[in-house]
Amino acid sequence: MSSYNDSASDQDLQRENRLWRLHAVCHQRMSRASTAQEALSGLAATLVDAGPYLRCLIVRGADHADNAPAPVYYPTESTSAPDMAALRALAARMASLDEVQIQTQASGGELIALPFPATEANSGSRRGGLVLACAHSFSEQEQKRLQDLVIDLNRYLAQSQLRTALLERSEQFSRLTDASMVGFYIIQQDGFAYANARLAALFGYSQDELINGVRVSDLVYPDDRAAVVSNLQQRLEGDTQSVHYQFRGVRRSGEVMPVEVFGTRTYYRGERAVVGSLLDITERQSSDQRLNLLSRAVDASRNGIAISDLSLDDNPFVYVNPAFEAITGYSAVETVGRNGRFLLGDDRRQSQLQQLRQALHEQRGTRVELRNYRKDGTAFWNELSVAPVQDDAGNTTHYVSVMNDISQRKQIEHQLRQLSYFDKLTGLANRSQLTEQLQQALHHARRNGRVTALLMLDLDRFKMFNQSLGTLAGDNILCAVARRLEGIIRRGDTVARVGADEFAIVFHDLNDRHDLLPLARKVLNEVSRHLDVGTDGLQVTASMGIAVAPGDGDDAEMLIQNASAAMYSAIPKRNGFVFYTAELNSQAQQRLDMEVRLKRAITNHEFILHYQPKVDLLTGAITGAEALVRWLDPLEGMVPPFRFIPLAEETGMIQEIGAWVMEEACRVAGSWNREGWPLTMAVNLSAKQFSDPDLVGSIQRALVKAQLAPDRLECELTESVLMEQPEIAKATLNELKAIGIHIALDDFGTGYSSLSYLKRFPIDTLKIDRSFVMDIPQDDHDIAIAKAIIALSRSLGLQVVAEGVETSDQLAFLQQEGCDLMQGFYFSKPLPEDVFRALLVAGTGLNSHV
Ligand code: C2E
Ligand code: CA
Ligand code: CA
């Protein structure tokens, strides 16, 4: 106080006060700035505007350079003024200054340089500081104040740099974790110190709930809690750095999900913590399980399975299953790395190979039948299905091949085809083959403007020869005639045996019908040449009918019918031939008569059913019956089905007859069943009936009316049904099957005998045709066929019935082979209903038969 009036010290005091105030304002500007740059500009402006300084230059050194390296000038307009150059020059020397430097200006006044404290980072020329110009001299006090200000500024800059770095890093972190599909967490004690949005969403909580309240163990399935807690403990208290494991998590909803975690020990807010990530692996686990299951299924499959890799040169196999090894004889080691074509051996000219190549080229699947070769060189038939496998992007990367050894099926098919195309006795073509060949010849002739002729021959008085000389001689005659006819024809012509003593010849590629006369004469001459049969020689003659296309018919069926008509008119003359003419249709006239009568038969209810028992070969019991229709004609008496069914089919009358048969058969079966005989009724359906869209409906109504359970009804149909309209047949059969009705394939072995449709259609039963049973046990061929059909039925799980069993030898054979049921005169002819019922009442007494 003593110096209160001292003007000098008064001035000092005032100056001191001003400096304090200035200092305070500078601090305020710095603390309010949101960036370092703003703080520095504010500071420089304050020092000049609110303080006693003229100019200000602040240079940042290496310590805080990365905040914003540009120097700050104030006032900014004068940065190019000459006296600013002096400030700059002084700033440039800042690095070499250890302390405050004062320079007297030539213009009067002083400059002061105040360097930031020296550090290693800012040594050399990279040290920053503050330079001020003023009009007066810097007092000691003032220098001291300014030095304090520079120290504060330095600290401020350092902190600001640190803050920015931290801010950036935490922003990066939260952006990373918030957008992540992975849950992130920091755990301390038993709680979350941090959880990202994904983790919260995975478990069905909010982030807030996880961090404030939910315990870690709340998120773990009870059985897994101990393991999870111990894992956390080891990192929070023990020595384990990081772990990676799976456990079952529990969502808020109680739903359990498999998760996988990676956790590492860390420090957080000065304390031990675990930081980690968590993944929901539900999908991965289920696809792992699926894959596992699939690969086991592939391994266990009885079909050969191979996988080829399209990304490798020559697309080699990369996997084959054990069944592949068993079928081919090649081990996986010998197979993997090779292209599948090695299985073809040298047999590269197979018709279906092209189909396979084409499919592979177009990267689509296909199914082919190929001859392949095992390691030991033996051939087998491979039913090969290949299917492309695509990756997520839709590119085909692999092929899966499934192979099926169908050699046995092929062999049976071949045998049956052979059989169904050739006459057993003479080795000539049979009627099926004749029809086919004729159709081909007609087709060819139509395209080339040529003529085709069909000759039908009936041997004169053959029945008489047969009776007088014996059947062996009869057979010899037939074979001899066959050989002679074969001697006449040219390549491409066909000779067939189409009935007991009926033959047919197709002459193809003729110029016109005049060519035929000499040919017809030649045929008759050949047949009637002297024959050495038995002891005496004899002469056989034939009667022949001829039909020619174009003219006498457009298709094989028509031509056969017309040639037959011509033949019948030739028979009375003997040893002659007749060309077909329209008048010849007296047969057609007869047919017309028959049609009228048949129509009347329907109106007058002239049909009856007979029932032939089906017998279980194991137990001897009657298990069912086949309903067979007969026509009780008032004039002719009982007409057998072969005389009227074909006509009924042609005219469509079979629809009405068939409907009546179905209704009547169901009615009878219904009453048997109600009376305590649980029998199955078999009803024949002709191919024509399948064109009736109401077929299934009418059968259903018959069942309902008769109160007969559908599984007590069996429909018998022939292969022709399946061949002619496969799509309709399949749909209809599936409908019948769905109702519970059984399906039997009749006359099996006589038709096309393709075994593939046994799988394609819902068939329950095969009926071995009577013609194969007839000659058992004399005929080896028939035995082989019957055996094959029975074995085949067994392997396909089908029931098998033998038709036309007439002798005890046949019965014994069928029993031995394991045939299920039999039907035939040996046990019983078809019987009227009352007789059949009497048989049931009497008890079968079958055990004496069977
Ligand atoms: P199918 O369905 O093959 O019937 C079996 C035929 O073999 C019956 O001739 C039967 O009497 C005969 N048969 C049974 N056991 C023996 C035997 O031990 N020896 C001999 N030689 N023959 C035996 P059927 O009754 O003359 O019938 C002939 C064909 O007429 C049937 O052949 C079937 O295709 C057709 N048919 C019969 N009834 C109907 C029917 O109601 N509807 C249709 N669409 N066709 C019928
Ligand atoms: Ca039948
Ligand atoms: Ca049959």
Side-chain angles (χ1 to χ4, degrees):
M1 290 293 142
S2 61
S3 58
Y4 185 72
N5 288 321
D6 183 332
S7 67
S9 60
D10 213 22
Q11 254 181 0
D12 281 352
L13 208 63
Q14 277 181 7
R15 197 182 297 158
E16 176 85 339
N17 256 338
R18 272 203 305 273
L19 283 173
W20 270 113
R21 231 175 300 131
L22 181 63
H23 204 116
V25 175
C26 285
H27 265 279
Q28 207 172 37
R29 291 296 293 264
M30 281 196 288
S31 65
R32 288 194 183 157
S34 54
T35 66
Q37 188 70 14
E38 198 184 312
L40 293 184
S41 319
L43 180 65
T46 309
L47 287 171
V48 175
D49 292 347
Y53 308 111
L54 300 174
R55 307 202 184 296
C56 176
L57 166 58
I58 306 172
V59 186
R60 264 167 290 185
D63 286 341
H64 356 86
D66 49 330
N67 276 341
V72 172
Y73 303 94
Y74 197 84
T76 46
E77 312 86 75
S78 53
T79 47
S80 58
D83 50 355
M84 210 35 141
L87 269 79
R88 265 200 293 272
L90 193 54
R93 293 202 294 116
M94 198 76 85
S96 56
L97 301 179
D98 286 333
E99 48 188 31
V100 179
Q101 174 91 27
I102 297 180
Q103 246 177 29
T104 311
Q105 298 274 72
S107 55
E110 282 180 355
L111 293 181
I112 185 167
L114 298 138
F116 290 134
T119 63
E120 234 168 71
N122 65 22
S123 66
S125 60
R126 298 181 300 142
R127 180 132 153 224
L130 173 67
V131 183
L132 289 172
C134 83
H136 59 269
S137 309
F138 288 97
S139 73
E140 295 244 336
Q141 269 173 322
E142 193 178 0
Q143 286 178 32
K144 179 91 179 39
R145 246 335 112 240
L146 286 172
Q147 264 178 307
D148 287 349
L149 184 64
V150 167
I151 287 168
D152 287 349
L153 176 59
N154 182 50
R155 192 177 302 138
Y156 171 83
L157 285 175
Q159 276 172 0
S160 147
Q161 186 173 11
L162 202 66
R163 241 191 336 267
T164 317
L166 275 176
L167 211 68
E168 275 177 9
R169 221 174 285 169
S170 97
E171 209 165 278
Q172 277 170 357
F173 176 73
S174 52
R175 228 178 281 142
L176 200 73
T177 60
D178 287 349
S180 174
M181 291 309 290
V182 177
F184 286 112
Y185 58 83
I186 297 172
I187 290 173
Q188 274 178 328
Q189 278 113 33
D190 189 23
F192 288 97
Y194 169 79
N196 73 343
R198 175 71 186 160
L199 186 82
L202 264 180
F203 284 94
Y205 295 92
S206 71
Q207 264 171 294
D208 213 41
E209 284 171 320
L210 280 191
I211 295 166
N212 304 310
V214 176
R215 283 170 311 155
V216 173
S217 55
D218 293 342
L219 305 184
V220 182
Y221 187 69
D223 290 359
D224 294 351
R225 267 178 205 156
V228 172
V229 168
S230 128
N231 275 337
L232 280 173
Q233 225 60 33
Q234 275 171 30
R235 279 165 301 154
L236 288 173
E237 289 157 23
D239 294 331
T240 317
Q241 267 300 331
S242 29
V243 287
H244 167 203
Y245 64 104
Q246 300 179 356
F247 65 89
R248 283 165 290 181
V250 180
R251 294 205 167 96
R252 174 180 237 157
S253 62
E255 194 187 339
V256 176
M257 73 178 152
V259 299
E260 182 176 65
V261 294
F262 294 85
T264 303
R265 181 160 77 182
T266 185
Y267 282 89
Y268 184 66
R269 291 184 188 138
E271 279 183 52
R272 280 238 187 144
V274 170
V275 60
S277 59
L278 179 146
L279 257 177
D280 172 4
I281 55 169
T282 310
E283 228 157 83
R284 196 177 79 200
Q285 241 183 25
S286 71
S287 79
D288 279 357
Q289 278 167 357
R290 251 195 332 267
L291 279 178
N292 204 341
L293 204 66
L294 271 179
S295 86
R296 260 189 283 159
V298 166
D299 274 350
S301 167
R302 281 173 45 182
N303 290 336
I305 296 175
I307 300 175
S308 358
D309 190 338
L310 298 197
S311 70
L312 301 177
D313 261 0
D314 203 26
N315 312 337
F317 286 139
V318 291
Y319 167 82
V320 297
N321 74 342
F324 180 101
E325 299 178 291
I327 292 172
T328 63
Y330 289 101
S331 71
V333 176
E334 291 168 307
T335 312
V336 166
R338 300 174 77 177
N339 180 290
R341 76 174 78 80
F342 78 92
L343 291 171
L344 293 167
D346 294 330
D347 197 353
R348 300 286 169 89
R349 290 187 144 183
Q350 303 186 34
S351 56
Q352 300 209 1
L353 266 181
Q354 190 48 39
Q355 185 186 332
L356 177 64
R357 290 200 191 102
Q358 189 66 27
L360 293 179
H361 180 69
E362 289 166 17
Q363 305 206 331
R364 54 179 173 77
T366 188
R367 201 177 72 189
V368 291
E369 294 182 356
L370 297 174
R371 270 187 311 276
N372 278 176
Y373 296 84
R374 298 189 185 88
K375 193 182 177 188
D376 64 12
T378 53
F380 68 99
W381 277 99
N382 178 4
E383 182 187 62
L384 178 68
S385 305
V386 293
V389 180
Q390 268 125 17
D391 63 11
D392 292 339
N395 303 311
T396 302
T397 59
H398 293 82
Y399 260 103
V400 175
S401 311
V402 179
M403 64 159 47
N404 205 349
D405 182 352
I406 53 162
S407 307
Q408 200 200 351
R409 189 185 99 189
K410 276 278 183 186
Q411 193 194 338
I412 296 176
E413 243 175 33
H414 178 73
Q415 276 180 355
L416 289 176
R417 177 102 18 96
Q418 255 330 80
L419 201 95
S420 64
Y421 271 140
F422 293 96
D423 170 48
K424 260 189 297 171
L425 176 65
T426 61
L428 294 178
N430 64 7
R431 187 179 276 271
S432 329
Q433 200 190 152
L434 171 78
T435 312
E436 204 162 285
Q437 301 279 4
L438 182 55
Q439 202 69 59
Q440 275 176 20
L442 287 171
H443 184 68
H444 176 84
R446 231 191 328 272
R447 262 190 317 186
N448 299 292
R450 308 290 287 171
V451 167
T452 310
L454 173 67
L455 281 61
M456 301 285 285
L457 289 84
D458 181 276
L459 300 188
D460 299 326
R461 296 173 305 153
F462 181 74
K463 281 203 182 66
M464 190 202 75
F465 290 133
N466 225 9
Q467 275 164 15
S468 55
L469 302 174
T471 48
L472 191 63
D475 287 354
N476 287 340
I477 293 172
L478 293 172
C479 287
V481 170
R483 298 290 85 78
R484 287 182 179 182
L485 296 178
E486 275 181 327
I488 298 169
I489 59 167
R490 298 168 303 162
R491 246 181 108 88
D493 293 340
T494 306
V495 181
R497 177 168 174 238
V498 294
D501 59 346
E502 282 180 32
F503 295 86
I505 306 175
V506 180
F507 287 115
H508 80 301
D509 206 25
L510 303 172
N511 289 325
D512 56 40
R513 51 172 69 215
H514 300 300
D515 287 1
L516 266 167
L517 268 179
L519 273 176
R521 294 215 179 85
K522 190 167 172 194
V523 171
L524 288 188
N525 287 340
E526 273 301 301
V527 173
S528 59
R529 269 199 297 126
H530 181 84
L531 253 181
D532 282 325
V533 175
T535 45
D536 312 314
L538 72 112
Q539 194 189 24
V540 181
T541 58
S543 301
M544 194 159 71
I546 304 171
V548 184
D552 301 342
D554 299 330
D555 61 15
E557 214 65 55
M558 192 68 171
L559 219 55
I560 290 173
Q561 194 179 310
N562 290 341
S564 305
M567 178 185 80
Y568 287 122
S569 73
I571 287 175
K573 294 195 276 182
R574 285 188 191 166
N575 200 17
F577 55 86
V578 172
F579 277 90
Y580 169 81
T581 60
E583 300 88 72
L584 268 177
N585 272 336
S586 65
Q587 250 202 334
Q589 191 54 48
Q590 277 176 17
R591 228 191 62 146
L592 230 75
D593 281 357
M594 181 86 147
E595 209 178 310
V596 174
R597 283 164 54 211
L598 201 54
K599 255 187 204 133
R600 211 177 42 216
I602 293 175
T603 353
N604 295 349
H605 309 292
E606 292 169 6
F607 299 103
I608 57 161
L609 290 184
H610 280 183
Y611 303 91
Q612 185 173 38
K614 290 190 185 176
V615 179
D616 187 316
L617 279 166
L618 209 61
T619 64
I622 297 180
T623 63
E626 177 175 2
L628 294 156
V629 71
R630 275 98 182 83
W631 173 15
L632 266 181
D633 184 66
L635 298 172
E636 259 190 69
M638 182 119 82
V639 184
F642 80 89
R643 295 247 333 264
F644 65 91
I645 293 278
L647 183 64
E649 283 176 345
E650 264 173 59
T651 55
M653 285 189 266
I654 191 71
Q655 225 89 279
E656 274 175 87
I657 300 175
W660 175 82
V661 169
M662 181 60 69
E663 201 171 301
E664 175 68 3
C666 286
R667 183 187 70 76
V668 169
S671 61
W672 287 344
N673 274 277
R674 277 191 297 282
E675 288 163 35
W677 291 299
L679 304 189
T680 301
M681 180 64 81
V683 176
N684 293 285
L685 291 181
S686 89
K688 284 280 159 0
Q689 287 175 269
F690 278 77
S691 348
D692 175 9
D694 190 36
L695 178 65
V696 177
S698 69
I699 294 177
Q700 244 170 333
R701 287 193 294 278
L703 285 171
V704 170
K705 191 168 170 193
Q707 297 175 353
L708 180 66
D711 63 356
R712 292 272 177 254
L713 177 64
E714 183 161 64
C715 290
E716 294 194 1
L717 43 111
T718 58
E719 287 169 281
S720 59
V721 174
L722 312 182
M723 298 297 302
E724 280 163 23
Q725 294 167 304
E727 291 317 312
I728 294 178
K730 190 167 177 178
T732 311
L733 293 184
N734 281 334
E735 275 181 72
L736 293 174
K737 181 82 188 180
I739 298 169
I741 295 169
H742 291 244
I743 314 285
L745 203 51
D746 212 350
D747 306 342
F748 188 73
T750 58
Y752 181 72
S753 303
S754 161
L755 303 184
S756 64
Y757 55 53
L758 291 184
K759 279 196 208 157
R760 252 190 295 138
F761 295 95
I763 290 159
D764 303 291
T765 303
L766 285 188
K767 297 191 74 179
I768 308 176
D769 188 62
R770 193 161 67 85
S771 63
F772 301 126
V773 177
M774 206 160 65
D775 294 334
I776 290 175
Q778 306 86 332
D779 189 316
D780 289 343
H781 201 66
D782 284 355
I783 287 181
I785 294 295
K787 273 186 179 176
I789 295 177
I790 293 169
L792 177 77
S793 309
R794 184 132 358 103
S795 77
L796 292 174
L798 302 176
Q799 191 187 47
V800 60
V801 184
E803 298 182 323
V805 178
E806 295 186 351
T807 70
S808 56
D809 284 347
Q810 291 164 356
L811 184 81
F813 167 82
L814 293 165
Q815 256 174 340
Q816 186 192 322
E817 289 306 314
C819 183
D820 300 309
L821 300 178
M822 67 105 167
Q823 193 181 340
F825 294 174
Y826 179 71
F827 179 68
S828 169
K829 292 203 170 183
L831 306 169
E833 207 240 314
D834 51 345
V835 184
F836 192 100
R837 191 182 290 268
L839 188 69
L840 289 175
V841 173
T844 57
L846 296 170
N847 292 321
S848 59
H849 288 276
V850 175

